[in-house]
Amino acid sequence: DIEAKYTRKMQALRDELDLRRKTEIHEVEERKNSQITELMRNHEAAFSDIKSYYKGITAQNLTCISFLKKQVEDMKKESVLSKKADVLLQKKQLEEPLQKAQEQVAELQKKLSQYDKDKEALKNTKACLKVIQKELKDLQWEHEVLEQRFSKVQAERDELYQKFTKAIMEVQQKTGFKNLLLERKLQGLHSRLTQKQVELSEVLSASNLDFNALSLGSQKLEDMLHSKNQDLQLQLAQVCKAYNDMLQTFEAKLTAFGIPLDSLGFQPLAIPLPGQA
């Protein structure tokens, strides 16, 4: 039941983490797509505005230049027929508009060079966008690799957890079984001692032996039983110590793998050594 319970918990946690990962990836992709779309839209709008602006200015200036050229040609024709003073006067009057037109042409050429720079900046921005997309793909690949490593570590942790749980159960069963055997063996020895004392008393009563001899025999029997009892106590202490050492090792391993003792569903208890509370 405990293993099934934590299997369900682990599955629920895995599903939750997988759903969270997919949601975060989806949100990142949506933000990326929206930013890309917004950036391309802004650049296209800016490019269209600049293109329309420079087209209008260029057309206007070409018209103006054509008009001015036509005026100059007309003035030249008229200058042939007019006097030199009138030609000089008209030339002086036309020099100022021509100079302004030349200045406008220079300004338009400057704006045209700025347009080339904006076009180059747009090209660089698109290249940066491709680099960012490649970095995003690399990050997604690293994310998949880390998820696979995480799943592998989880599987190893679950396997170690099952092995330790099985080991602690086996040791508890073996220790309990040995304790039960030792207790039954001790009870049997006590029963045999009582029976032997009764039989000895009957024999002594029937044979009228010396009381000192009886005391000496009883003392030897008690010494022998005391020695047996010490051996049994020593065996019990060794079993209890081995169980407690194994329990400490188990707790240390659980702590090393980051598994809390509360997640076991039960609290393993240390067995007190003989003579301890």
Side-chain angles (χ1 to χ4, degrees):
D1 292 340
I2 292 172
E3 186 176 12
K5 175 182 176 182
Y6 283 98
T7 301
R8 290 193 299 270
K9 282 187 178 181
M10 187 63 67
Q11 184 64 36
L13 180 59
R14 185 180 292 109
D15 295 339
E16 181 181 356
L17 291 176
D18 187 58
L19 180 60
R20 186 182 301 171
R21 175 184 65 81
K22 291 181 179 178
T23 304
E24 291 177 353
I25 291 175
H26 183 66
E27 290 176 356
V28 170
E29 288 180 353
E30 285 184 352
R31 289 198 298 271
K32 179 201 72 175
N33 294 332
S34 63
Q35 290 178 358
I36 291 172
T37 304
E38 185 67 21
L39 184 63
M40 293 181 67
R41 190 187 300 114
N42 293 335
H43 281 289
E44 288 177 358
F47 179 77
S48 178
D49 294 338
I50 293 172
K51 188 175 180 181
S52 300
Y53 175 76
Y54 285 118
K55 278 185 178 180
I57 292 177
T58 304
Q60 183 179 0
N61 289 325
L62 289 174
T63 303
C64 183
I65 291 171
S66 299
F67 177 74
L68 292 175
K69 284 182 178 180
K70 185 177 180 181
Q71 284 185 349
V72 170
E73 289 176 0
D74 294 337
M75 289 177 181
K76 285 181 179 180
K77 290 179 181 179
E78 290 177 359
S79 66
V80 175
L81 302 175
S82 65
K83 295 179 180 180
K84 293 183 178 180
D86 295 336
V87 171
L88 293 174
L89 180 62
Q90 290 179 358
K91 182 179 179 182
K92 186 177 180 180
Q93 292 176 350
L94 291 175
E95 280 180 353
E96 185 176 356
L98 181 61
Q99 185 178 1
K100 290 183 178 179
Q102 289 176 350
E103 292 177 354
Q104 289 181 356
V105 170
E107 185 177 358
L108 290 175
Q109 288 178 350
K110 184 178 180 182
K111 290 183 177 180
L112 184 61
S113 63
Q114 186 67 30
Y115 165 75
D116 293 335
K117 291 180 180 179
D118 293 338
K119 188 176 180 180
E120 186 67 21
L122 179 62
K123 182 178 179 181
N124 295 332
T125 304
K126 289 182 178 180
C128 292
L129 182 61
K130 290 182 179 179
V131 173
I132 292 173
Q133 289 178 345
K134 185 177 182 301
E135 291 178 353
L136 178 61
K137 290 182 180 179
D138 294 338
L139 290 174
Q140 289 176 346
W141 181 79
E142 291 179 0
H143 180 71
E144 294 293 336
V145 172
L146 290 175
E147 278 204 346
Q148 293 178 0
R149 291 181 181 176
F150 176 71
S151 300
K152 184 177 179 181
V153 170
Q154 278 186 331
E156 292 177 354
R157 186 197 65 182
D158 294 339
E159 183 180 357
L160 290 174
Y161 174 75
Q162 293 176 358
K163 288 182 179 180
F164 279 120
T165 304
K166 184 178 179 181
I168 192 68
M169 291 297 182
E170 289 179 355
V171 171
Q172 284 181 341
Q173 292 176 358
K174 291 180 180 179
T175 305
F177 182 70
K178 288 183 178 181
N179 290 336
L180 182 61
L181 289 179
L182 291 174
E183 288 178 359
R184 291 184 178 179
K185 188 174 181 180
L186 187 59
Q187 290 177 0
L189 290 174
H190 279 295
S191 299
R192 290 177 61 186
L193 175 61
T194 303
Q195 184 179 0
K196 292 296 183 180
Q197 286 179 349
V198 173
E199 292 176 357
L200 182 61
S201 298
E202 292 177 354
V203 171
L204 292 174
S205 298
S207 59
N208 294 321
L209 293 176
D210 188 9
F211 182 74
N212 293 327
L214 176 61
S215 299
L216 182 60
S218 299
Q219 184 65 34
K220 290 182 178 181
L221 182 59
E222 288 179 359
D223 293 339
M224 181 182 67
L225 291 175
H226 181 68
S227 177
K228 290 289 185 179
N229 189 23
Q230 287 182 345
D231 293 338
L232 292 175
Q233 291 291 334
L234 179 60
Q235 293 179 7
L236 180 60
Q238 291 175 352
V239 172
C240 293
K241 186 178 184 303
Y243 173 79
N244 292 334
D245 293 341
M246 186 277 301
L247 183 59
Q248 292 177 358
T249 303
F250 176 66
E251 291 177 352
K253 288 294 184 180
L254 288 180
T255 304
F257 282 97
I259 302 174
L261 294 178
D262 297 337
S263 63
L264 292 177
F266 65 93
Q267 186 68 26
L269 299 177
I271 299 177
L273 298 177
Q276 295 180 351

